[in-house]
Amino acid sequence: MRVKVAVFWGCCILASQYAYEMSVREVLPKLGVELVDLREALCCGDPVRSVNDFAANYLSARVLALANLTGLPDLLVPCNRCHFTISEAKRAVERDKKVREKIVGMLKEEGLEYNPNIKVWHVIDLLHDCVGLKSVGKAVVKPLNGLKLASHVGCQIIRYSDLGRVDDAENPRKMDELIRATGAESVDYNEKLDCCGSHLMLSHPDTALSLAGGKVKAVQGLCVDGLVVSCPDCGLMFDSKQKEAGTTVGAKLNLPVLYLTQLLGLALNIEQEKLGLQLNQSPVDQLLSKVSA
Amino acid sequence: MGLTDLMSMAKPNLESREKILRKLRGRELINCFQCIKCTSGCTALKLLELKPHEIEKLVNFGFVDELAASDIIWTCVTCLKCVQRCPQKASPYHVIVALRNLAVEREANVPEAFMKAVSQILETGLAEAYQKVTTRKMEACDRESLKLPKIPAPKEGFQAVFLKALEER
Ligand code: SF4
Ligand code: SF4
């Protein structure tokens, strides 16, 4: 199966979480998904939501209007926060005639057109529901048997269900199934639904770090080979800031953290450099040596 | 001083309450029956003492001005557990967003990072600046050295329209 989708990266991936972008760009085409970049880089509106709800909706609608320019009906949004912000905006534009008329008018000033029919995907449901577990499994050339992993699906792609989310709110399974498709094991654990805390970096950074540190500490206690994430904010908190997070909870943290697409890339036998694995700040080497052994 | 103590000295303002209800566009704040399901699962409860059920109650009673001026509304982590679990669709998270928007309108205690993000978007389209990162071996990298494509900033017309959007209430 081959599909072509537009892709919107948001801010965090484009500005610092390069490993996620590199691994998505490498892995998805190998699984039959061709990616088309939007004309411009833009914020989805997430930090604006707290300042002005309407302006946040406008930014998200502008993202959808940029996607409309590609002529493709599907938009991949690999960031959980962007995925939620755009979904909320879609709902507001659909349900509120006044908001809709204003936003459509503002986009017109720039010659852009809002298209309500663009479907928004995340990496997880695109691979699980559209590409399919079978195809993912078939593409695996280097099974990751023997790896024991914990998954962190994040908050905003599973809540709240009324909005139409990527997986079940209280018992998400798709990410675990994708991990298992590589031959690795994915364990269940008590803290699975705990939040990474990233939003608080804007107002209470110490608390944000202790939320992240607390979760990493708990996962470390499971004696797993690593923690798998699929959102740049979670990657930032658990991987890039793991050391700092450790000091806020008084623990020495050394848990390998990697993106789901990096893990899939390993199973597809893609070179580590191409997957950005040199960029992870957590000690992924211990996991990588197990994979290449 | 706790939130409840603060309110014992305040007077409800029903006009401000109306404002919040209008911002919520039909989300049923009024149906909250104080079951505390939201607070029992709230990510910000333990470390920052955010109690979403109290926010609901206080807005319903009309103590909106006090809430909009308070730091407590900036402790929500946006984990959305309260929206998911509320049996009455009273959406504490959305109430908190409405209160934050009101705080901005009133130029109350808004954490600087939010306003900075807005001006960064105005300038470049993105809320964050492109960063140099290092590998585990301490080699510096950026988009170019990693062979990631350059994606252009928004076209010129964007700024004026975004400014207009920011003036909407
Ligand atoms: S907001 Fe919902 S969950 Fe929270 S106390 Fe009210 S009814 Fe219960
Ligand atoms: S969204 Fe905010 S108020 Fe609701 S449960 Fe999460 S942290 Fe608490």
Side-chain angles (χ1 to χ4, degrees):
Chain A
M1 188 208 65
R2 297 208 65 85
V3 281
K4 200 167 165 181
V5 304
V7 55
F8 170 71
W9 303 98
C11 301
C12 192
I13 299 179
L14 286 184
S16 73
Q17 290 300 305
Y18 304 133
Y20 194 21
E21 182 179 346
M22 290 166 81
S23 55
V24 169
R25 287 191 190 275
E26 277 297 322
V27 169
L28 264 59
K30 300 223 161 51
L31 293 172
V33 182
E34 193 185 325
L35 302 174
V36 178
D37 278 293
L38 300 186
R39 184 183 79 182
E40 295 164 15
L42 187 68
C43 171
C44 71
D46 168 73
V48 184
R49 178 79 68 201
S50 293
V51 173
N52 184 317
D53 188 61
F54 178 86
N57 288 334
Y58 158 75
L59 284 174
S60 274
R62 194 173 181 281
V63 169
L64 291 169
L66 290 172
N68 188 46
L69 290 175
T70 66
L72 299 166
D74 298 292
L75 178 67
L76 171 65
V77 181
C79 166
N80 289 18
R81 196 173 285 291
C82 298
H83 190 286
F84 173 66
T85 305
I86 295 173
S87 306
E88 282 270 271
K90 267 185 99 164
R91 179 183 159 120
V93 170
E94 263 153 49
R95 298 199 168 181
D96 191 321
K97 195 170 157 219
K98 256 213 216 112
V99 169
R100 181 167 62 241
E101 281 170 357
K102 270 188 207 156
I103 286 183
V104 166
M106 285 179 164
L107 291 172
K108 226 178 240 151
E109 289 178 40
E110 280 194 273
L112 292 168
E113 195 185 333
Y114 181 79
N115 178 353
N117 298 319
I118 290 179
K119 184 162 167 52
V120 178
W121 298 87
H122 186 268
V123 173
I124 291 183
D125 57 349
L126 188 68
L127 291 182
H128 185 281
D129 306 348
C130 179
V131 172
L133 282 177
K134 250 202 204 138
S135 307
V136 174
K138 259 198 224 144
V140 170
V141 286
K142 194 173 165 196
L144 307 177
N145 298 335
L147 271 194
K148 194 170 142 191
L149 300 165
S151 70
H152 171 84
V153 66
C155 296
Q156 304 198 330
I157 51 167
I158 58 169
R159 289 185 285 269
Y160 50 97
S161 306
D162 277 358
L163 190 61
R165 301 278 73 199
V166 165
D167 203 347
D168 186 83
E170 304 290 354
N171 186 19
R173 308 258 32 119
K174 292 181 183 175
M175 189 170 173
D176 303 278
E177 285 166 9
L178 285 163
I179 292 172
R180 288 190 193 114
T182 68
E185 187 188 341
S186 183
V187 300
D188 262 329
Y189 59 106
N190 287 338
E191 298 79 6
K192 189 169 173 180
L193 296 184
D194 287 5
C195 169
C196 76
S198 66
H199 179 79
L200 282 182
M201 289 304 282
L202 294 170
S203 55
H204 298 80
D206 287 341
T207 311
L209 290 167
S210 41
L211 285 171
K215 178 142 184 174
V216 172
K217 191 173 161 192
V219 174
Q220 208 164 278
L222 302 169
C223 299
V224 288
D225 295 306
L227 175 67
V228 186
V229 296
S230 58
C231 164
D233 281 313
C234 308
L236 177 82
M237 296 305 288
F238 294 143
D239 179 77
S240 319
K241 297 204 176 289
Q242 186 176 120
K243 251 203 210 118
E244 274 175 77
T247 57
T248 61
V249 293
K252 197 166 182 315
L253 300 177
N254 50 9
L255 179 72
V257 176
L258 75 172
Y259 285 107
L260 176 68
T261 38
Q262 290 183 306
L263 184 82
L264 290 165
L266 288 172
L268 299 178
N269 207 13
I270 298 172
E271 278 163 66
Q272 295 181 6
E273 288 254 317
K274 287 190 177 164
L275 299 171
L277 277 158
Q278 70 279 24
L279 299 172
N280 299 44
Q281 297 297 307
S282 60
V284 288
D285 299 289
Q286 54 198 73
L287 179 148
L288 295 174
S289 61
K290 219 171 164 177
V291 169
S292 42
Chain B
M1 196 169 11
L3 263 186
T4 332
D5 305 326
L6 190 72
M7 303 313 151
S8 65
M9 304 187 304
K11 266 207 193 123
N13 180 344
L14 295 181
E15 233 169 81
S16 299
R17 180 174 173 275
E18 268 313 303
K19 242 190 194 159
I20 294 295
L21 288 176
R22 263 202 308 279
K23 284 185 191 293
L24 287 171
R25 276 189 251 114
R27 287 184 199 273
E28 301 296 338
L29 165 79
I30 256 156
N31 289 347
C32 166
F33 52 19
Q34 291 293 296
C35 68
I36 317 196
K37 236 184 142 181
C38 50
T39 298
S40 64
C42 174
T43 303
L45 169 68
K46 215 158 73 188
L47 294 172
L48 297 166
E49 293 176 37
L50 173 60
K51 299 188 186 84
H53 78 284
E54 274 192 7
I55 307 253
E56 294 274 324
K57 181 170 67 187
L58 292 171
V59 174
N60 266 334
F61 283 166
F63 294 112
V64 171
D65 301 337
E66 290 72 15
L67 279 172
S70 149
D71 295 335
I72 197 76
I73 56 172
W74 300 97
T75 61
C76 166
V77 197
T78 72
C79 72
L80 305 172
K81 285 182 181 165
C82 57
V83 189
Q84 178 69 33
R85 293 172 185 170
C86 172
Q88 294 293 88
K89 296 197 190 310
S91 288
Y93 156 78
H94 291 98
V95 177
I96 291 169
V97 170
L99 287 164
R100 287 183 178 186
N101 283 193
L102 190 66
V104 172
E105 283 168 35
R106 293 180 173 174
E107 295 175 31
N109 286 327
V110 179
E112 214 185 309
F114 288 94
M115 303 317 282
K116 236 174 105 187
V118 171
S119 40
Q120 180 94 22
I121 296 167
L122 261 172
E123 231 171 87
T124 66
L126 293 186
E128 291 169 44
Y130 290 103
Q131 284 172 35
K132 274 215 163 69
V133 297
T134 51
T135 64
R136 275 190 310 296
K137 291 185 180 141
M138 299 310 282
E139 295 149 338
C141 313
D142 56 15
R143 295 189 65 80
E144 207 186 328
S145 71
L146 294 166
K147 298 191 186 73
L148 287 167
K150 217 178 177 147
I151 305 183
K155 301 218 181 274
E156 226 169 276
F158 161 71
Q159 210 177 39
V161 186
F162 182 45
L163 270 175
K164 213 159 69 181
L166 283 165
E167 269 157 34
E168 289 286 330
R169 289 279 184 260

